[in-house]
Amino acid sequence: NIGNVHLAQGCNDAAMKSYQEALDLRIECLGRDNIEVAFSLHCIAKVNRKQLDIETARENFNAALRIKRLKLPKNHHSIAESLEQLGSLYMEIGEDDEAILCLNGALNIYKSKSGEGVKVAEVYEQLGSKHEKKNDLAKALMFFNKALRVRERIFGEDHVSVADMYYRIGKLHRDQDSDHNALSAFQAATKIRKQAMGRNDLTISDILTDAGQLQMKLGQVEVAEKCVNEAIRIQYLILDSRHEKVGKSLLLKGSVQIKRKEYKEAIDSFKEALAIFQDSNDDNLEQHTSALENLGLAYKENGDYDLACESYEKCLVLLPPAHSENMESARVNNGIGEVYFAKGDYGKAEEYFRDSVEVLVSNLGEDHLQVANAVLSLGRTCTKLKSPDEAIMYFEQARLTKQMRLGDDHLEVSEINLEMGRAYAVKKDYEEALQCFQSYLRARRVLLEDDEVACDTMLDIALVQQGLKREDAALQSFASALQLYRVILGDEHVKVAQTLYGLGCVYETKREFKESMKYHKEAFHLRRRLFGQDDLSVAESLDKVCNLYMKQPNLEKALHGMREVLRIRTMKLGKDHVDVGATLFAMGVIFCETDDLEKAMECYEVALKIRSEHFGKSSIEVAQTLHNMGTVFGKQQNFEFALSSWRKALAAYREAGLSDENHLVAVTIGNINMAEAYLE
């Protein structure tokens, strides 16, 4: 009894001393196999366990059990206690089969006794925990449900211990991806705890956070928002605002804000969570890296690409070597890839997407849906890098996996047709691209109403029809997309401007210049309202307007506009960019037409340098520039220089693969013949 008091006070050494004296006396007075000796051994084993002397604890529990089985009836309560203690010990040291054997033995004894319901429930819970650790979630769920029924019978359905069992059951359902069952269990747990503990109970905040994460997974963003806001309210009442639980809830709040496209608010939430995890002394690497990863995502969605990369890179640095090949590193690499993709740096994006795919395949195998999605990202990047055959290979790989996992009729399988169509369009296989786009649009309309994605596909179809020189069909597709974009997105949207630009291009191809000018001007003014006067898309539209002015001809307006195009492109792209070269070439044409030959030659000379560096000296672009320089020399009556330029142009055309029957080549040959005749 003195030993029991010491143990209750946490004085393990003093308890051990008393228990050992009692054991020695009992052995001396009663013999080694007396039941009182078993009770002493059982107490000593409990102290051994508290002192982490696991092997000695196991020896003493087994010694006590041997005596009890020798001296007591086989269903005695004391035998069940020893079996339960042994089962718990075996659980602790990872000897699963022994643990389950002992706990089942204890359970059978407790069930045979009236008034032992609580013990039965406790053993059910231990068995459930053991199977949960073994990842046998179905058996774990079975035992937790049995424990729940016993507790409901003993304590009533509104007892707090019943709520705790519902919470554990809910987490098991969640881990089995049985989301609706998990939510039902979480709701039951919350309802009972509110009745028993009041609405400001800290465990309720934990349940609400878990429920909010599930609601996010199910796309119920508003419900998730209510859950996390209530969880944070409770936590601020009870905990310090820098507590780790608050940090975890802020991570969920930030995720909700991203779904609601409240990116600046999400950045603030993730920053606050990150500060909590950085200040904490606890081992919270997982939360720390999660905050950085989510902060990177928020920055990316907000267009802060450099800050996004910085956050993602910090996350990678924090991951220890053992984590460098795990799922988190795959997600972070994918995130960085998406940032570079959004920035238009497709080479860098490809590097990170490949790293992500490699890690995912090593962890999940080639036929997993996450692998298929990562391969899709890699395929999209190859499309942007003008490697359509490689892109199509990746899309086919992703399609096979999704067909196997989701079935042929799933929308995600059809969506691959959209990506395939874009790759075929880059390949200029417009017929194949058109089939892919139309197939995807048909499949989508079976399942969903027309939305922004449907409009995007109509736009893709219009561009392919334009490539196939089916201008009337392209006009119809552009017009349908424009009408729907305006309904869904409103008049002041970038995609409306993009569609107006497409309409202008088709009308220009049809030589309906008045209609073309109308749409290009509308696109120009909309883009300038949306992005300001220095945006590259503004320069793109203005370039088209200027080309149309040249056709009128209204060279004064054309030149005025081209100067503005040159200013924007030089500022945004640098003075050696190919688009700057194209603008200077067009300005050279205008100056030549207005007989400002010195300025024309200045423009052509710079354009020639840029185009030679970008396209190579044996390119059509270089040949055109040389041809026009010859024209300037001809206007200056300098036919020797003109002849030299035209001969260089002819050589470049031929090296570029054009035949003498080509219109550009024929004109150049005609000019050469004229100059030679004149010089003779």
Side-chain angles (χ1 to χ4, degrees), residues 407-440:
D408 291 343
D409 297 329
H410 198 280
L411 185 59
E412 286 189 28
V413 176
S414 299
E415 284 171 349
I416 295 175
N417 278 326
L418 182 63
E419 302 299 341
M420 296 274 280
R422 289 169 180 164
Y424 279 118
V426 169
K427 198 176 178 182
K428 299 193 184 305
D429 187 345
Y430 295 125
E431 289 288 0
E432 196 68 38
L434 186 61
Q435 287 183 27
C436 288
F437 290 140
Q438 289 175 336
S439 173
Y440 168 65

Side-chain angles (χ1 to χ4, degrees), residues 244 248 251 277 283-294 315 319-320 323 328 331:
E244 188 173 313
K248 290 179 180 178
L251 287 180
F277 298 134
D283 182 14
N284 58 11
L285 176 66
E286 183 179 350
Q287 286 77 32
H288 194 164
T289 54
S290 179
L292 282 168
E293 182 184 345
N294 281 289
C315 183
L319 292 174
H323 288 66
E328 186 169 9
R331 286 198 312 271

Side-chain angles (χ1 to χ4, degrees), residues 93-354:
I93 62 178
E95 295 189 16
D96 298 343
D97 293 338
E98 290 293 332
I100 291 171
L101 187 66
C102 290
L103 290 172
N104 275 323
L107 180 65
N108 289 332
I109 295 173
Y110 287 141
K111 286 167 72 174
S112 70
K113 301 286 184 180
S114 60
E116 296 292 353
V118 175
K119 281 291 186 182
V120 171
E122 288 174 355
V123 176
Y124 276 143
E125 287 174 41
Q126 290 188 69
L127 282 165
S129 297
K130 184 73 268 176
H131 285 293
E132 184 179 11
K133 287 180 180 177
K134 290 179 69 177
N135 206 34
D136 188 347
L137 301 184
K139 279 191 176 178
L141 188 60
M142 177 189 73
F143 283 115
F144 283 152
N145 275 312
K146 287 184 175 182
L148 173 68
R149 299 284 87 83
V150 172
R151 289 191 178 278
E152 284 179 329
R153 189 175 69 248
I154 296 170
F155 300 115
E157 293 182 353
D158 297 332
H159 194 269
V160 68
S161 69
V162 173
D164 293 342
M165 282 312 307
Y166 269 120
Y167 187 26
R168 294 196 72 178
I169 288 168
K171 288 192 279 191
L172 267 182
H173 279 304
R174 176 197 63 194
D175 294 342
Q176 290 180 303
D177 291 324
S178 181
D179 298 333
H180 292 290
N181 286 332
L183 283 174
S184 295
F186 288 153
Q187 288 165 357
T190 304
K191 181 181 176 182
I192 295 168
R193 286 199 75 91
K194 278 184 179 178
Q195 291 174 346
M197 310 298 293
R199 64 190 293 263
N200 295 329
D201 174 56
L202 190 58
T203 302
I204 289 176
S205 77
D206 295 337
I207 301 170
L208 286 169
T209 301
D210 286 335
Q213 289 170 341
L214 273 182
Q215 296 287 9
M216 282 289 290
K217 181 181 175 184
L218 294 169
Q220 301 296 319
V221 179
E222 289 186 7
V223 181
E225 185 177 29
K226 290 178 182 178
C227 289
V228 71
N229 286 339
E230 178 66 5
I232 291 174
R233 183 195 68 78
I234 296 169
Q235 289 162 357
Y236 279 156
L237 278 176
I238 300 171
L239 303 171
D240 184 274
S241 62
R242 311 293 286 180
H243 194 279
E244 188 173 313
K245 283 181 184 285
V246 177
K248 290 179 180 178
S249 295
L250 285 168
L251 287 180
L252 176 57
K253 184 176 182 179
S255 297
V256 169
Q257 288 163 331
I258 284 181
K259 285 290 185 182
R260 295 175 66 86
K261 299 187 178 180
E262 298 168 353
Y263 302 128
K264 290 182 179 178
E265 292 81 357
I267 289 168
D268 290 339
S269 295
F270 292 137
K271 278 184 173 179
E272 192 176 345
L274 181 62
I276 290 171
F277 298 134
Q278 285 174 330
D279 292 344
S280 172
N281 294 321
D282 297 334
D283 182 14
N284 58 11
L285 176 66
E286 183 179 350
Q287 286 77 32
H288 194 164
T289 54
S290 179
L292 282 168
E293 182 184 345
N294 281 289
L295 184 58
L297 173 62
Y299 277 133
K300 183 198 78 174
E301 295 296 338
N302 199 46
D304 301 324
Y305 298 133
D306 291 338
L307 290 171
C309 279
E310 185 180 324
S311 293
Y312 280 133
E313 293 288 359
K314 283 180 180 177
C315 183
L316 283 179
V317 169
L318 273 179
L319 292 174
H323 288 66
S324 63
E325 296 298 322
N326 72 0
M327 296 294 290
E328 186 169 9
S329 73
R331 286 198 312 271
V332 174
N333 278 316
N334 189 74
I336 298 173
E338 288 178 350
V339 171
Y340 281 115
F341 190 93
K343 289 175 70 173
D345 189 343
Y346 302 119
K348 273 283 191 184
E350 183 185 23
E351 289 178 26
Y352 283 98
F353 284 142
R354 286 192 189 280

